[in-house]
Amino acid sequence: MTPEPDAVRIADAVRAVPGVSGLHGGRFGEIATLLPPRRVTGVRVRDEDVTIAIAARYPVVVADVAADVRAAAGVDGRPVHVVVADLVEPSTVEEQPKEKVS
C-alpha cells in the first residue's frame, strides 16, 4: 500500500468531519506525509500506523470527534492515532452594521 493516495484521501475525509476546524502539523510540523513535490500536513501515513492531527472547534467532546475522525479515515489493518492539537474558539466578535455617514 502506497501512502500517496491514502494521505490525500484521509485529509479530505477528515476535513469534512463535523467538529474539525482543520488539520494541524504538530508543534514542529512533524505530522505530515511527504509527497514530492508537496506535503500533506496533518496526516502521517507509515507502514505501521497512521497519525492524524486536528484542530477541533470548541465546544466539542474530544472523544466523539476522535472517533468520527477514525471512522472517516477508513484505515484498516493499522492503528490510527488522533491528536487534538488545538481548539478553535468560535468568533466572539459579532460584526456590527456600519453606520451611514451623512
Side-chain angles (χ1 to χ4, degrees):
M1 185 159 107
T2 61
E4 292 82 13
D6 290 338
V8 173
R9 182 194 57 76
I10 291 168
D12 290 342
V14 168
R15 283 188 198 101
V17 172
V20 173
S21 177
L23 294 167
H24 195 284
R27 185 172 180 186
F28 301 107
E30 70 277 9
I31 301 175
T33 300
L34 301 176
L35 303 173
R38 68 180 214 168
R39 64 190 267 137
V40 180
T41 301
V43 178
R44 182 173 58 210
V45 177
R46 300 188 299 187
D47 289 338
E48 61 273 5
D49 64 1
V50 175
T51 301
I52 303 167
I54 63 167
R57 290 186 188 102
Y58 179 85
V60 69
V61 177
V62 173
D64 292 346
V65 171
D68 293 344
V69 166
R70 279 189 193 92
V75 176
D76 293 325
R78 301 182 206 187
V80 177
H81 308 287
V82 178
V83 177
V84 179
D86 199 3
L87 290 175
V88 178
E89 293 185 53
S91 178
T92 56
V93 180
E94 293 183 25
E95 193 170 315
Q96 300 295 323
K98 295 183 180 178
E99 295 180 23
K100 285 188 172 181
V101 178
S102 308

